[in-house]
Amino acid sequence: MNIRGISADTLSLLLIMGQESHPREFAALLSTEEGVIRNVDIIPGTIGGSASASVLFEMIPLNVGYIGSAHSHPSGAIRPSEADLAFFSRTGSCHIIVGHPYGQDDWRCFHADGTSIELEVIPDE
């Protein structure tokens, strides 16, 4: 899948989700429209904790076309942990981490192996 970027509104939503769930983590799955990340889904049964968030994989709908995940790091560390890498490997190829204090520059995108991806923020019309 060729991912062109993330919509500005979707990025703002992820940063707000981080703020609203702080000091707990949130986790969600992402999908695209025409190569742009525009959809954020919280899977039923997802639990956000102070050190991690867990997703019930058996609750993920089939054939939705998720391309990756998003979650928060209340600590502000915007890099994947070993647990994140294990999660990434099960949920797609494009993963966004938002970190405290959840400002416009407090996020990064990663491949499933943890290498950084430059992701363009695409203005919404």
Side-chain angles (χ1 to χ4, degrees):
M1 155 106 359
N2 184 20
I3 300 169
R4 295 187 352 214
I6 182 169
S7 80
D9 284 348
T10 302
L11 177 58
S12 291
L13 173 63
L14 294 175
L15 293 166
I16 290 168
M17 289 172 72
Q19 290 171 340
E20 294 293 319
S21 63
H22 191 85
R24 301 172 72 82
E25 285 193 15
F26 81 86
L29 297 181
L30 304 171
S31 58
T32 62
E33 293 175 16
E34 299 177 0
V36 177
I37 298 170
R38 295 190 187 276
N39 304 306
V40 178
D41 291 336
I42 296 179
I43 302 304
T46 298
I47 299 170
S50 60
S52 67
S54 61
V55 173
L56 295 175
F57 287 98
E58 59 272 13
M59 297 297 289
I60 297 173
L62 300 175
N63 301 323
V64 171
Y66 292 115
I67 55 88
S69 68
H71 75 281
S72 61
H73 278 184
S75 69
I78 309 175
R79 61 185 176 282
S81 66
E82 291 299 318
D84 292 338
L85 295 175
F87 178 67
F88 291 175
S89 70
R90 297 182 69 185
T91 55
S93 61
C94 181
H95 305 278
I96 296 173
I97 298 175
V98 299
H100 184 267
Y102 312 106
Q104 287 300 307
D105 295 324
D106 297 320
W107 68 281
R108 302 287 180 278
C109 186
F110 301 92
H111 288 287
D113 66 2
T115 57
S116 184
I117 301 172
E118 289 294 322
L119 197 61
E120 179 182 359
V121 178
I122 298 174
D124 292 280
E125 298 174 3

